[in-house]
Amino acid sequence: MGRHREFDVEQALDTALCVFWRKGYEGASYTDLTQAIGVERPALYAAFGNKEALFRRVLERYYAHYMNFIPAALELPTSREVAEQILRSAADLQTRYPDHTGCLGIHGALAGSDDAEPIQQALIDARANGEALLRERFERAKKEGDLPPQANCAALAAFVCAVLHGMAVQAKAGFKREMLDAVIDQALSGWPSKTDASTVGNAISH
């Protein structure tokens, strides 16, 4: 009969999540992970397999527990409310924990070796899926008359994601919540509407 695991799997995942969030996928070593979780490497292998498998479990947990504001935001009445809720919630998340600022997904994929390519691709795919959800929501807004007929919904979704990802980098570099909120205010100041073809609206509609 095999030995019982000497740690709680759920707690171990939360601990590993914080390590990856702080150091990125490649920056987090097995030593970092085992020391933080409080187990030896064989126990970590037995519970999760290799580092890639552990990170994939952590990423699922991150999206389920920390990025769950996105589905709720997509149900808001207007496209501007959708964008603002996502950006404000992200700014809160990116600055909430002083010892692991920014975004796990963005920080985990900024740089990596060939060995990390599967993880980088998984993160790229996850971000692409999020952008696709935004694009679909903005297309609906366009059909409902909330966005002007000339709005480029693909470009608008990419714009929101660019601001979102840029804020993650800025938060990691030490930007405070107040500055991120100012960035959001600026990004939303020209949000396209059915009655006002504003500067940003024009920029993202061509």
Side-chain angles (χ1 to χ4, degrees), residues 15-77:
T15 301
L17 189 153
C18 292
V19 174
F20 283 125
W21 196 339
R22 185 171 66 254
K23 295 197 168 189
Y25 175 70
E26 289 209 296
S29 67
Y30 275 108
T31 299
D32 293 327
L33 293 165
T34 54
Q35 287 183 348
I37 295 171
V39 298
E40 299 297 327
R41 189 179 294 197
L44 196 67
Y45 286 150
F48 303 112
N50 59 18
K51 180 180 169 183
E52 179 181 329
L54 173 59
F55 185 82
R56 290 181 184 275
R57 290 279 299 275
V58 160
L59 194 62
E60 289 176 4
R61 197 172 188 82
Y62 179 74
Y63 282 117
H65 292 273
Y66 293 95
M67 301 294 287
N68 53 358
F69 57 82
I70 292 179
L74 292 172
E75 298 303 317
L76 292 173

Side-chain angles (χ1 to χ4, degrees), residues 107-125:
H107 185 44
L110 283 178
S113 65
D114 291 342
D115 291 340
E117 193 278 333
I119 290 299
Q120 287 182 295
Q121 190 58 52
L123 293 169
I124 289 168
D125 291 343

Side-chain angles (χ1 to χ4, degrees), residues 37-187:
I37 295 171
V39 298
E40 299 297 327
R41 189 179 294 197
L44 196 67
Y45 286 150
F48 303 112
N50 59 18
K51 180 180 169 183
E52 179 181 329
L54 173 59
F55 185 82
R56 290 181 184 275
R57 290 279 299 275
V58 160
L59 194 62
E60 289 176 4
R61 197 172 188 82
Y62 179 74
Y63 282 117
H65 292 273
Y66 293 95
M67 301 294 287
N68 53 358
F69 57 82
I70 292 179
L74 292 172
E75 298 303 317
L76 292 173
T78 68
S79 60
R80 192 186 190 284
E81 288 176 289
V82 170
E84 180 164 16
Q85 182 64 28
I86 289 174
L87 292 172
R88 302 284 185 201
S89 298
D92 173 69
L93 178 61
Q94 292 164 5
T95 57
R96 187 184 307 163
Y97 307 103
D99 62 336
H100 47 278
T101 52
C103 170
L104 172 67
I106 300 302
H107 185 44
L110 283 178
S113 65
D114 291 342
D115 291 340
E117 193 278 333
I119 290 299
Q120 287 182 295
Q121 190 58 52
L123 293 169
I124 289 168
D125 291 343
R127 293 199 301 274
N129 288 339
E131 187 172 320
L133 289 173
L134 268 179
R135 184 181 67 248
E136 291 169 6
R137 177 62 184 85
F138 294 155
E139 291 285 1
R140 192 180 95 202
K142 188 174 178 179
K143 290 177 182 178
E144 294 171 349
D146 172 53
L147 286 171
Q150 72 273 19
N152 183 330
C153 296
L156 188 58
F159 169 73
V160 172
C161 288
V163 176
L164 189 68
H165 300 159
M167 290 195 316
V169 175
Q170 291 174 323
K172 188 68 178 177
F175 279 43
K176 302 302 182 185
R177 172 67 189 272
E178 292 77 14
M179 179 56 73
L180 296 187
D181 278 331
V183 169
I184 294 168
D185 290 342
Q186 184 63 46

